[in-house]
Amino acid sequence: MFTLQCQSVKDIRKHSYYPAENEVLLMAATQFKVMGCLDQGNLHIVQLEETRPPFPLLQPVPTVVPQSINPISSAQPKVEAPKSVNHRSCVFDQDTKISWKFSGIEKPQVAWFFKGEPIPANNRFQVTETDDGTSTLLIRQAELADQGDYIARATNTVGEVEAKTTLNIVCMKPVINTDLNAAIEVTKGEIMTLKIVVSGAPKPIVIWMRDNRELTFNDRIQVTTPTGDDNTYTLTILNVQSEDQGEYAAKISNIVCPLRGNSINIHPNARWQQNGLTVAGGNGKGNGIHQLSYPLGLYVDDDQTIYVADWSNHRIVEWKSGATSGQVVAGENGQGNADHQLSHPIDVIVDKERDSVIICDGSNRRVVRWPRQNGTRGETIVANIGCVGLTMDENASLYVVDERKHEVKRYRRGESQGTVIAGGNGYGNRLDQLSCPQYVFVDRDHSVYVSDCSNHRVMKWEEGAKQGIIVAGNQGQGNSLTQLSNPYGIIVDQLGTVYVADCWNHRIMRWFKGATKGSVIVGGNGRGEQSNQLNEPVGLSFDPHGNLYVVDCRNRRIQKFNIE
């Protein structure tokens, strides 16, 4: 027999079959210890006392007090996070993900927005959903333009809720991993090679110097820039001569800037020599490697290498500084629409990051990318477009002029449809219209400048604007200093000064910011082929020194006007 001393029993007399008995119920897992034993003949008595276990075996269930429930609030979407706002950072050109988890009795649908606009699904922006309600936005190869607020908006039939992530794009300053040799001796006639390994994001640009002067590259002095994951920059000098002696340095920067001139600061009083030097073509009409036939678009690289859209020869030609003939880098496989052919190319730019040229393939109504080194065929990146001019900003967004639709479109990396950012309201002369636009320039604020050819004016469209601002011309077609006649190539420097190829007036004009009239800086001496004359100038570019390059279309040559 057991005698128990308990503290946690339950009285069950009201539920017992023997109500007269003082029955109690021991809780499961109650523990006891033996306090004593007594033997009385056939009776063995054990005395037990309840003890507290070293850890709880059963937790008591609290009494739940019913509360009023709002069915609407419980059904609304909810952000499953302590806060619905956060911040994150990503290194330039790296992939990043933004995730938010939502819940609701009716599963919500999630949409993503950037700067208030829906994010289109493309190769760079991808959204994935999981069964637990998590929505993830993947951004591939993050650009500076991707910096800002991203909103994930969850919606069901009851309501909606938002979560915000502010994304910061981090650039990495250039880091020299392997520096130049302190000293090197090379015998005359041998080959000298200098290498430097530099990393950074964006990928740095290296400018080679000798005795504090930037080197001019030619067939003997050559540079190699890295591609992909390689970070090695190489300077090679063939057949070393005594004049190559000196102190060599590499100027390194990854401060990105738009193409075609905005990286230079031209003094307001700058003047150019009035007699131009022919640096490409000028040998009559023909398809020889030393000739051009109605050249149009122009790009000048940092090393003064020239890329020309040779319209009538259906090719892109590269002319090294000081060379007497060019080298075909795209096309010259006959006129056609195959991927190894071009048909009347109109404009060309260089994408240094991908070591390729991007071409307005006019008659084929497409924009193609062609490898700059040993490329045999191109890749169509924009199709079915009346492309006549193009440029690229520091984020690798492409800006394309569609002459037939009288508009300019921007294509962010990976996009195939593009967004109209200027014009697009039909042919006309209102401030929200363009008429046969030709060339485009984008500045560091992402304002777009367009040569509005048939309206004889240059327009500026600030980012997000619904209409443009007149910055040159618009006084009717004419040859006074307040007028333009079919403007084509345009450049804008850091001060906002506009340089424009005034095609049918055979001159290049400069319009200061806010001015109502311009001034002639080269040409303007009538149509002709003398060194101080132009015959329908079209393309326009500067080199890093401020020297001016002009496509002299009807004279089938590229003219260089040195800055004084």
Side-chain angles (χ1 to χ4, degrees), residues 114 118-125 143 146 380-383 396-398 409-421:
F114 177 57
I119 299 176
N122 53 43
N123 293 335
R124 281 215 319 120
F125 295 92
E143 305 169 352
D146 297 331
T380 299
I381 56 177
V382 181
S397 293
L398 191 64
K409 274 190 170 183
R410 180 190 62 216
Y411 296 82
R412 289 197 170 107
R413 185 184 294 182
E415 289 184 347
S416 58
Q417 297 302 317
T419 302
V420 176
I421 57 169

Side-chain angles (χ1 to χ4, degrees), residues 52-170:
R52 183 181 297 275
F55 51 85
L57 300 178
L58 286 177
Q59 292 286 353
V61 179
T63 303
V64 177
V65 179
Q67 297 180 353
S68 61
I69 299 176
N70 185 342
I72 295 180
S73 63
S74 62
Q76 286 180 334
K78 177 184 176 183
V79 180
E80 294 294 334
K83 295 182 178 180
S84 59
V85 177
N86 64 22
H87 294 76
R88 65 178 297 111
S89 297
C90 171
V91 176
F92 179 91
D93 203 39
Q94 299 297 308
D95 295 352
T96 189
K97 291 181 179 180
I98 302 173
S99 294
W100 286 100
K101 185 178 180 180
F102 299 94
S103 63
I105 293 178
E106 177 189 340
K107 185 176 181 180
Q109 300 296 314
V110 180
W112 286 86
F113 299 83
F114 177 57
K115 294 183 178 179
E117 297 293 332
I119 299 176
N122 53 43
N123 293 335
R124 281 215 319 120
F125 295 92
Q126 295 179 355
V127 176
T128 56
E129 310 278 351
T130 57
D131 293 337
D132 67 350
T134 300
S135 180
T136 300
L137 171 66
L138 169 63
I139 305 173
R140 299 187 186 276
Q141 296 179 297
E143 305 169 352
L144 293 177
D146 297 331
Q147 187 166 272
D149 292 338
Y150 289 81
I151 301 293
R153 183 178 299 159
T155 307
N156 62 16
T157 56
V158 181
E160 69 177 32
V161 68
E162 291 184 349
K164 182 176 77 172
T165 295
T166 300
L167 180 64
N168 180 43
I169 305 300
V170 179

Side-chain angles (χ1 to χ4, degrees), residues 70 99 144 151-152 155 161 191 202 307 310 367 390 428 454 513 540 546:
N70 185 342
S99 294
L144 293 177
I151 301 293
T155 307
V161 68
I191 298 175
Y307 295 84
D310 194 3
V367 179
L390 75 168
S454 293
K513 187 175 182 179
L540 206 58

